[in-house]
Amino acid sequence: MTGHTTARQRLTAELLDALRTDGGVRVVTGEPGCGRTTFLDHAARLFRGGPVRHVRADGVRELEEALRTAGPLLVCVDDADLWDAPSRAALARTAGRIRETAVRTTLLLTVANHRPPPPELADLPVLRLGPLTPGDAALLIRERADSAVDPAVREELISAAEGNPALLLALLRSLSPDQLGGRRALPQPPAGGEVLADVAGDRLPDDPGGLLLTTAAAVRATGEEEADAALVLRAAHAAANAPLPDLLTRSEGRLRFRSALMARAVYATASSEDRRAAHLALAEAATGQEGILPLLHRAWAVSAPAPTAAASLAAA
């Protein structure tokens, strides 16, 4: 991003400085589309100490040879979670050797966060990439848009993307010049099922029991990041000890998606009928609970104006 130092670039430079003194290894993680590969590219451009090596899944021997290089070295491994288990184990042993010895090597691995982390890499220090700042998101729009973007449209796109660079670019691709210029209305919501599916790609699994959609509906209605596990499991007619899909994690009686983007994608790509059915099941599972939760889900389950439900929700 010429002429402007972004927050990500500053973070990369600070990380490279820190790694010179604290073991030389980081697992860089984040949700789909957050820019893990771009982060490695920034690191490769900013590294001034010596050569840079990009190692592929079949390149464990290449990694061993690279470590024999005299002087500082940066090794970048993208999508390490997609390596097979023996290769990941060899990678972890190499990372351990770098951390425990005086080898002047910096090792950056990227791992997606929408599924369970590989056990072989679980003990390595982690850097989680957060969302783009609004300023960096605006800069990305300015650099990548093919036509002029109206300021109000730009702000709506930044809000819809929630700091995810791949989603922001997918939104830009989905809109016409007239929509970008503010001369035609944007679709509502701007980040609909097709756009979110574009970013999620083949990471969206089948959901035969509806547990993913029910969890997505639970967090969508409340605006929270997690939901009551017992409520969701009752609504989905799932056993309390049922194994969870990889996209979900459970802690202290709460269910949450590992990735907020995947939660949005699961909900947006479901049919409107299935979404309403999930909210209705949650409302029925919450019957008898105090508060507005049952009413809230019933409101999300309606398909036409419902004055009685609206009045009840307003009163509550």
Side-chain angles (χ1 to χ4, degrees):
M1 296 182 178
T2 305
H4 178 88
T5 302
T6 69
R8 286 282 178 86
Q9 289 171 321
R10 291 192 294 274
L11 175 63
T12 312
E14 291 167 2
L15 174 65
L16 291 174
D17 285 340
L19 287 173
R20 295 190 183 101
T21 58
D22 73 348
V25 176
R26 282 294 186 281
V27 175
V28 181
T29 188
E31 66 179 9
C34 73
R36 298 185 306 274
T37 300
T38 302
F39 188 88
L40 288 189
D41 292 340
H42 287 331
R45 287 196 297 270
L46 291 172
F47 188 73
R48 297 288 184 266
V52 177
R53 299 283 187 271
H54 294 270
V55 179
R56 303 176 304 279
D58 57 353
V60 175
R61 182 173 300 178
E62 178 186 350
L63 176 58
E64 295 290 339
E65 293 173 354
L67 292 180
R68 300 190 186 100
T69 301
L73 171 71
L74 172 63
V75 178
C76 298
V77 180
D78 205 7
D79 294 328
D81 50 320
L82 301 182
W83 289 26
D84 60 52
S87 297
R88 290 198 304 263
L91 184 60
R93 288 193 296 271
T94 299
R97 191 160 72 250
I98 292 172
R99 296 179 70 195
E100 295 167 3
T101 67
V103 175
R104 291 190 296 170
T105 298
T106 297
L107 175 61
L108 296 180
L109 321 173
T110 71
V111 170
N113 81 336
H114 67 282
R115 53 182 169 254
E120 300 86 359
L121 307 178
D123 294 333
L124 300 179
V126 171
L127 171 68
R128 185 176 300 277
L129 293 181
L132 293 179
T133 65
D136 286 350
L139 178 64
L140 184 60
I141 291 174
R142 188 159 64 246
E143 291 185 341
R144 301 295 291 273
D146 293 329
S147 57
V149 180
D150 178 79
V153 172
R154 181 186 63 227
E155 294 306 310
E156 191 163 357
L157 296 182
I158 291 173
S159 176
E162 296 183 355
N164 187 295
L167 179 53
L168 185 58
L169 294 176
L171 285 167
L172 285 176
R173 291 193 299 269
S174 72
L175 300 177
S176 69
D178 282 346
Q179 288 172 318
L180 289 173
R183 296 179 294 277
R184 287 186 58 194
L186 300 184
Q188 293 300 324
E194 186 174 344
V195 173
L196 285 163
D198 180 20
V199 179
D202 59 2
R203 303 178 186 90
L204 277 175
D206 294 332
D207 187 25
L211 185 55
L212 289 176
L213 177 56
T214 306
T215 307
V219 298
R220 173 76 172 182
T222 63
E224 299 176 353
E225 293 183 350
E226 56 188 24
D228 183 295
L231 172 67
V232 172
L233 292 170
R234 284 199 307 273
H237 304 291
N241 59 351
L244 297 178
D246 283 349
L247 295 185
L248 298 179
T249 183
R250 174 167 36 195
S251 176
E252 299 181 349
R254 309 290 290 177
L255 274 181
R256 66 182 297 160
F257 276 81
R258 297 178 188 275
S259 160
L261 180 129
M262 298 305 287
R264 294 176 68 186
V266 165
Y267 190 84
T269 56
S271 68
S272 57
E273 292 82 3
D274 286 345
R275 290 197 296 266
R276 289 195 296 270
H279 284 294
L280 182 59
L282 286 162
E284 293 174 347
T287 298
Q289 288 190 9
E290 296 182 357
I292 68 170
L293 188 60
L295 296 172
L296 191 61
H297 281 296
R298 288 194 185 279
W300 281 79
V302 300
S303 58
T308 301
S312 299
L313 187 58

